[in-house]
Amino acid sequence: MIRNPQRPGPMPYHRYRPYQERVHVPAFDRRWPAARIDRAPLWVPVDLRDGNQALAEPMDADRKQRFFELLVRTGFKEIEVGYPSASRADFDFVRRLAGLVASGAVPEDVTPVVFTPARPELVERTFAAIDGLPRAVVHLYIATSPVWRETVLGRDRAEVHRTVREAATLMARLADARSGADIRFQFSPETFNLTEPDYVLEICDGLTELWDASPDRPVTHNLPATVEIATPNVYADQIEYMHRNLARRDSVVLSVHPHNDRGTGVACAELAVLAGAQRVEGCLFGNGERTGNVDLVTLALNLYAQGVDPMLDLSDIDAVREVVEHCNRLPVHPRHPYAGELVHTAFSGTHQDAISKGLAQHAKDAAEAGVPPELAPWNVPYLPLDPADIGRGYEAVIRVNSQSGKGGVAHLLRAHHGLDLPARMRPDVSRAVQALTDDSGREATADDLYALFRTAYLEPGRGAGPVTLESWSTGHDGEHGRDGRRGRDGERSDDRDRGHDRGTERRHRFTCVLSVDGRTAPAEGHGNGPLSALTDALARAGIAVDVLDFSEHSIATGSAGEAAAYASCRVGDRTAWGAGLDTSVLGASVQAVMSAVNRAYAR
């Protein structure tokens, strides 16, 4: 066991208290476990305030402007734009937005939100910042939990409540003085999840009354899990308690603001919505203090993957990520849900096989249903949503390394190079790839795989081996042969190329100049088809060959077409697979047999 040299002995877990010793959660007949989410809540990004204050290098005005424009394009309808009383930069940015209203930079369906502590001079500074904005939400906050009241603020419950009411009264008076502006109010009891429930209700209900909330002019009560202290079900119980006990409930927008200290911010938000929350604050990709705010992108796409409209446009996830990374100067992790570079990528062989088969089945089901694949129901293993729906291609879904199997190798060769390996050949090819990746320790790209396949399976049928055809031609007995080198007959009959000539008794002839270990001599063979005639010619030269398995298919390559063929042959007591690629099926078939012969010799 590894020990901290500064602290010998076991980790002092006894220093910490469970949540039930820190905050009382009333017992009641919770209903949220039976609820279902069938619509998206109002998403409110706080990247320009909460996210920005967590950055080592806070955004300048231009980066903030670019981020704001991204949020508007994505479809957010309330956007927290800053903490104008905290810094000149935030104040100036809000003033900049106010100056851009006439140009349409702040659309009529988008409401900026500004953040203020419960101090009169800072409330006044905040209202000065929003002067000229036709609509805004002024967001008032104060910490309410016992530890913050006693340690940070040095006030008791009554003093904190009085501070909040004084600031809220000033907000109402300043809003009334701004005729023509639609100014609404929001309150956050910071550290709500550590605050006595009766106290939170007392403050929130008092503000609902003070601000004269109504269904057509509701107030927002935002209940933060400022620092996570418990499992998500506890937060859900706290939210449902408030949902069921707030006064004038139809005049209140119940909002949540989860952080991610325990790594469960997304779960907290989802369970909170089940418990009655109508609005969720968070950041794109989970930026924020400490371990970050809840990730709105993950929340939205979780809903999307359940068949619920997220009310956001994330159809180009990489473009969204690029802007966020530029503005925050922080990378999005490669394994980040939905947006990371590797989240749709499988290296494991079993995963690759399932995905490859799933994609093929999806295409088949769509064709049978007569709908485009992009509109057909999605049910592909290991992919909770179609990568194309968020602007991703399928190129990176399957990638090959030493952990990969035959399914992934076959998928990449088919998807990128049109080679549809027969199932019985795939283990053989996979072993060759395994040897390559084990030796290199690197990932093998689709081009790497094709280069290996060409070297190992195609070139042995094209003269790279001890047994080669210097020239060859085919025909029927009694006819002049067709020259295999000058333009092979090109016929694509499966019966002809597999050695079966139905409806005729004429036998096929294969004539060639054969080189074996550098010794060249003419050879001729006869059989029921071209391949059986080829194997007969080889047998007459002392090479016994049995074709055990064979398949072929066409490959569309621009205006021209190619054929691929695959053959498993027994040569003496050795068996090997070979492959061929040619403009004719016959040419590809001959190459495949010769490749198998040479690969068997090499073994």
Side-chain angles (χ1 to χ4, degrees):
M1 182 179 293
I2 298 175
R3 294 291 190 193
N4 181 347
Q6 305 299 320
R7 289 191 174 184
M11 292 180 66
Y13 61 87
H14 59 275
R15 302 177 62 213
Y16 303 96
R17 293 182 296 154
Y19 79 89
Q20 61 268 27
E21 295 181 12
R22 303 175 68 187
V23 63
H24 172 63
V25 180
F28 61 97
D29 59 329
R30 62 175 65 85
R31 300 169 188 167
W32 63 260
R36 297 290 181 270
I37 302 177
D38 58 8
R39 68 183 65 184
L42 176 64
W43 310 113
V44 181
V46 295
D47 300 83
L48 300 177
R49 195 273 304 174
D50 208 348
N52 186 57
Q53 71 187 31
L55 298 176
E57 300 178 36
M59 289 180 254
D60 57 28
D62 289 340
R63 283 154 61 204
K64 275 196 168 187
Q65 184 71 39
R66 186 178 179 189
F67 210 132
F68 179 79
E69 291 169 357
L70 169 70
L71 296 173
V72 170
R73 289 195 307 272
T74 304
F76 292 101
K77 301 307 178 186
E78 276 189 23
I79 301 172
E80 192 166 75
V81 295
Y83 190 164
S85 65
S87 70
R88 180 61 183 266
D90 271 26
F91 184 90
D92 288 348
F93 180 69
V94 177
R95 297 302 307 139
R96 176 175 178 168
L97 289 180
L100 292 172
V101 168
S103 68
V106 184
E108 293 183 1
D109 61 347
V110 172
T111 301
V113 181
V114 287
F115 193 69
T116 182
R119 290 173 52 185
E121 69 278 14
L122 301 184
V123 170
E124 291 177 346
R125 176 74 168 167
T126 301
F127 271 82
I130 63 173
D131 188 33
L133 285 173
R135 69 206 150 270
V137 172
V138 180
H139 180 181
L140 175 69
Y141 85 95
I142 196 168
T144 55
S145 68
V147 172
W148 268 256
R149 292 196 308 259
E150 297 161 9
T151 304
V152 181
L153 300 177
R155 302 176 192 177
D156 61 20
R157 284 175 53 147
E159 289 172 319
V160 169
H161 194 170
R162 183 166 58 252
T163 299
V164 171
R165 287 189 64 85
E166 289 172 355
T169 301
L170 175 60
M171 286 168 56
R173 186 170 70 248
L174 293 173
D176 287 343
R178 297 178 185 270
S179 58
D182 179 14
I183 299 177
R184 293 185 289 109
F185 306 123
Q186 175 178 337
F187 172 64
S188 286
E190 189 183 9
T191 65
F192 155 78
N193 59 325
L194 278 166
T195 304
E196 308 92 328
D198 66 306
Y199 184 50
V200 177
L201 274 175
E202 178 186 339
I203 297 177
C204 289
D205 287 348
L207 293 180
T208 300
E209 181 179 3
L210 174 64
W211 285 331
D212 194 23
S214 61
D216 61 340
R217 190 176 175 77
V219 299
T220 298
H221 287 313
N222 184 54
L223 308 178
T226 307
V227 179
E228 282 193 305
I229 62 161
T231 50
N233 60 295
V234 175
Y235 187 55
D237 285 349
Q238 294 174 306
I239 298 302
E240 183 171 346
Y241 179 81
M242 296 294 292
H243 167 58
R244 291 167 62 177
N245 289 281
L246 282 167
R248 299 198 203 181
R249 183 63 186 87
D250 62 349
S251 302
V252 172
V253 175
L254 182 56
S255 176
V256 293
H257 181 109
H259 277 256
N260 201 42
D261 300 272
R262 291 168 52 96
T264 59
V266 167
C268 280
E270 291 178 331
L271 268 59
V273 172
L274 291 173
Q278 302 153 285
R279 180 181 183 271
V280 178
E281 294 186 350
C283 290
L284 273 61
F285 308 121
N287 180 42
E289 297 281 8
R290 304 180 310 282
T291 55
N293 293 69
V294 70
D295 175 15
L296 296 184
V297 173
T298 296
L299 285 171
L301 290 176
N302 281 357
L303 280 187
Y304 181 81
Q306 293 291 309
V308 177
D309 184 354
M311 304 300 290
L312 296 176
D313 182 2
L314 296 167
S315 59
D316 190 349
I317 195 75
D318 289 332
V320 174
R321 189 186 68 186
E322 187 275 327
V323 172
V324 173
E325 288 181 327
H326 168 79
C327 294
N328 287 341
R329 294 181 177 171
L330 286 174
V332 172
H333 195 279
R335 297 292 183 189
H336 194 96
Y338 300 109
E341 291 181 359
L342 296 177
V343 297
H344 299 119
T345 298
F347 289 103
S348 161
T350 54
H351 291 203
Q352 293 173 340
D353 184 59
I355 291 171
S356 179
K357 290 174 179 175
L359 290 172
Q361 186 64 45
H362 176 74
K364 178 182 176 183
D365 290 345
E368 291 176 351
V371 297
E374 64 271 18
L375 298 179
W378 183 257
N379 191 27
V380 174
Y382 295 110
L383 296 177
L385 56 73
D386 186 347
D389 286 355
I390 54 176
R392 293 278 177 85
Y394 297 113
E395 293 81 5
V397 168
I398 292 177
R399 290 163 60 177
V400 170
N401 63 13
S402 61
Q403 303 299 308
S404 305
K406 59 185 184 295
V409 173
H411 174 84
L412 289 181
L413 288 174
R414 180 176 62 250
H416 293 267
H417 298 285
L419 297 172
D420 190 6
L421 305 185
R424 298 166 300 280
M425 184 182 184
R426 293 175 188 179
D428 193 78
V429 178
S430 180
R431 284 189 290 272
V433 173
Q434 186 83 30
L436 171 71
T437 53
D438 278 344
D439 289 344
S440 69
R442 297 184 299 104
E443 176 186 351
T445 67
D447 288 342
D448 292 335
L449 296 179
Y450 183 75
L452 182 149
F453 186 83
R454 183 181 62 240
T455 300
Y457 292 92
L458 296 178
E459 290 180 1
R462 296 171 172 171
V467 183
T468 60
L469 296 175
E470 300 297 327
S471 63
W472 61 271
S473 63
T474 63
H476 291 94
D477 289 346
E479 292 181 348
H480 293 292
R482 296 180 176 88
D483 188 339
R485 281 208 176 263
R486 286 197 299 269
R488 303 161 187 153
D489 65 308
E491 294 179 35
R492 295 185 177 266
S493 161
D494 287 346
D495 290 335
R496 171 177 294 275
D497 290 319
R498 296 188 187 192
H500 303 289
D501 191 13
R502 297 175 183 169
T504 176
E505 295 299 324
R506 293 190 302 170
R507 288 170 59 78
H508 288 257
R509 184 182 68 254
F510 190 96
T511 305
C512 61
V513 175
L514 183 65
S515 176
V516 181
D517 292 328
R519 296 187 298 273
T520 302
E524 182 173 296
H526 305 267
N528 294 329
L531 294 190
S532 60
L534 166 61
T535 59
D536 184 55
L538 292 170
R540 291 169 186 264
I543 304 172
V545 179
D546 289 324
V547 178
L548 305 177
D549 204 340
F550 179 86
S551 67
E552 54 83 11
H553 63 84
S554 61
I555 302 175
T557 55
S559 58
E562 281 189 301
Y566 315 92
S568 173
C569 297
R570 181 169 55 237
V571 183
D573 59 354
R574 303 168 186 164
T575 300
W577 278 93
L581 198 62
D582 197 79
T583 54
S584 79
V585 175
L586 178 57
S589 304
V590 170
Q591 288 181 25
V593 172
M594 295 304 297
S595 171
V597 168
N598 280 299
R599 297 189 75 248
Y601 256 67
R603 291 181 179 178

